[in-house]
Structure formats: structure tokens, C-alpha cells
Amino acid sequence: MNAILVDFTEHKAGRSKKNKDLTREVQENHNTSADAGHYSQKLWPKKKKKETKGLDPDHPIFRPYTIVGAAKKLHLEMTLPYNRAYDMLPIAKQKEYGDRMAALQEKLLAACNAITYEVFRAAIETVREAHNGTFKAEMYPENREEFIEDFAIGISYSPMPESSHFGQMNEEEKQKLISKFQQERRQIAARATAHLKERLLKPVQSIIEKLSNPDARFHDVMMENIQNLVAMAPSLNLTGDLEVASAIEDLSKGIANINIDALRDSVHYRDHAKSMANEFLTKYGGLGQRKFVQVEEPSTVTPPVTLPETSSLPVITP
């Protein structure tokens, strides 16, 4: 498989914590057992419509969360699962992946720097008012430095292990290990292909569900997600699966070209789009259903050598 392994890490400050005093109060007022549950309190409540308490949705305190979330979304879009530690990134997409991650790291650093001492203290006072008598200072970072140091995006690369990496050993043992290694590589390839198949079908199913609801609202992001998937999917077809390639082509020529404005304005066009999506599922409906693809989680036999890391981006902790 023409891919490289990537280890993606993300860190975010917590957004809620258990309030022990409120939990105890609920237990006492309702006579519940100590194990019946606990009260988890949002640390940074957002101001809702017609409310005067809480932080504005575009407050700087939320920006680092958004950027770290965007990095995770990008990683999931551009990779396929390998094992619990690594994912597979098509080599053809490594530069794009690295450039986009680096840009997000820079945005994260800028967003954290925008949370000045004054901004942080003002945010604390705002949530103090929002929580009223339930506010507990000890649940919060003592200062802005303690808050922003919890945010980080990191990636590092390693080459895909190959059977040729096995060193000198008893020939019989070596062949056994190579055989097991190759078997697990086939399982990994099957698992990656199954994952891609599911990713191709999921948005189509979502479109059908949307179009089946007469009160549904159609947002631009629905088609943007499909178009992004169509653009990325060919490089993710690491095994060259012919049925997957055919599904990508059909998706590209058909559903990916649905006009979102026409969906909003025309019942006839919605019926046409739903028919197109149903035809796609009829043709490829068995692609991504897990019950048709039973692939074991590989234990991943790795050759007994230390694989060198290739170029990697450092973890940025503002």
C-alpha cells in the first residue's frame, strides 16, 4: 500500500467538571444513592438567544477548541485506520496533510495568544455571573497560561513496516513471522477498504433520510462534505478496489453535483435527488455494512527493528 503511518495527537482543556456541592445537594434533596449520578457543570456556558448571561458564541475562549476540533476532522478525512496508535495516510497526500496541519497549528498558537490576561479574567467574571451561586473558582484554571497550555496539535510520521525489515534470525522462525505479518497486512488492507466503503455510503444514506423529511432544512455543508469526500476518496483507495473506484466515479458524476438551492426550492428536484441516491444505494448498498465485512482488529506484528521517523511536525503547546 502506497501509504505512510501517521500518529495524530490532540489536547484540549476540559469543558465541564463535576460539581461536588451540587451533586451532594441533589442527592440530599431527592434522597438518591451516592452512585445514582453526579452533576456535571459546563465551565464556559454560551449565551443563548434572548439571554443576557453567558459568553458570546464567538468569544476568544472558544477559538482553540474549534481549531483543535478542525485538526481532528481533517485527520479523519485524510486517513484510514491502521491500528490503535497509527493511521494510514496516502503518500500522495502527505504534503497537503502536513501543510494544512501546520496552518492549523499556527492558527492555534494565534488563538491562544489572543486570550490575554484581561480576556481570560473577563471570561471568568462572565461565567461567575452565569453560574450565579453555583460558581466554584477551584474548578477553573488559575490563569490564562494554565488554560492555554492544555491545547496542542501534534503529528509524527513513520514508514509502513515491511517483511524485509525482519533482521537475522532462525530461517524457520523468520518465515513464520513473515507469514503472520503478511496475513495481518491483508487484514489491515481489508479493514481500511471496508472503512472507506462505509464512508462513501454514509452521506448518501443521510441525504435520503433528509429528503424523506418534508420539514428538513438543507445546509450547504451537506454537499460540501460529499464533494470533499469525492475529492479525497481516490487517494484513500489504497488497495485499488474496483468496486470502490466505481462507486467514487458514480458519486462524483451524480450525487456530488446535486444543487443545494434547487433542493430548497423544488419538490420535484428533491424527488429526483432522492431517486438518484436510492439508485446509488441499490447498486452499492452492500459496500459499507459492517455485517458483510467481518475483519478482525489486527494485533499488528511489527518487525523487530526500530522504524525511523520521517519528517514530522512538532507538537505545539502555546
Side-chain angles (χ1 to χ4, degrees), residues 197-213 216 218 222-223 226 229 251 255 258 273-274 276-289:
K197 290 174 179 178
E198 290 185 359
R199 283 170 64 173
L200 291 172
L201 288 185
K202 186 175 180 180
V204 180
Q205 184 62 51
S206 296
I207 285 179
I208 292 175
E209 292 172 0
K210 273 272 190 181
L211 292 171
S212 300
N213 179 4
F218 300 98
M222 181 176 76
M223 294 312 305
I226 290 181
L229 175 61
L251 199 60
I255 296 171
I258 289 175
K274 184 177 179 180
M276 187 190 310
N278 275 319
E279 287 177 8
F280 182 88
L281 284 190
T282 299
K283 184 175 181 180
Y284 299 108
L287 273 179
Q289 299 179 32

Side-chain angles (χ1 to χ4, degrees), residues 6-12 62-79 87 89 96-109 151-155 157 199 232 313-316:
V6 57
D7 177 22
F8 170 81
T9 56
E10 47 145 352
H11 298 283
K12 294 183 291 186
F62 299 120
R63 183 65 176 154
Y65 292 101
T66 301
I67 295 170
V68 174
K72 183 174 182 178
K73 182 175 183 289
L74 174 64
H75 175 78
L76 293 176
E77 288 176 349
M78 297 191 68
T79 63
D87 294 303
L89 172 69
E96 178 187 346
Y97 176 90
D99 289 346
R100 293 174 70 179
M101 281 294 182
L104 286 170
Q105 287 179 317
E106 290 179 5
K107 287 183 179 180
L108 177 59
L109 187 58
F151 292 92
I153 300 168
I155 64 172
Y157 304 110
R199 283 170 64 173
M232 186 65 60
L313 291 175
V315 174
I316 289 186

Side-chain angles (χ1 to χ4, degrees), residues 2 8 16 21 29 48 50 81 83 96 105 110 115 123 142 194 202 222 224 248 284 291 301 313 315:
N2 197 21
F8 170 81
S16 63
D21 290 345
N29 290 343
K48 302 296 183 180
K50 299 182 180 179
N83 60 20
E96 178 187 346
Q105 287 179 317
I115 302 174
E142 291 188 7
K202 186 175 180 180
M222 181 176 76
E224 290 170 0
I248 295 170
Y284 299 108
K291 62 182 179 181
V301 175
L313 291 175
V315 174

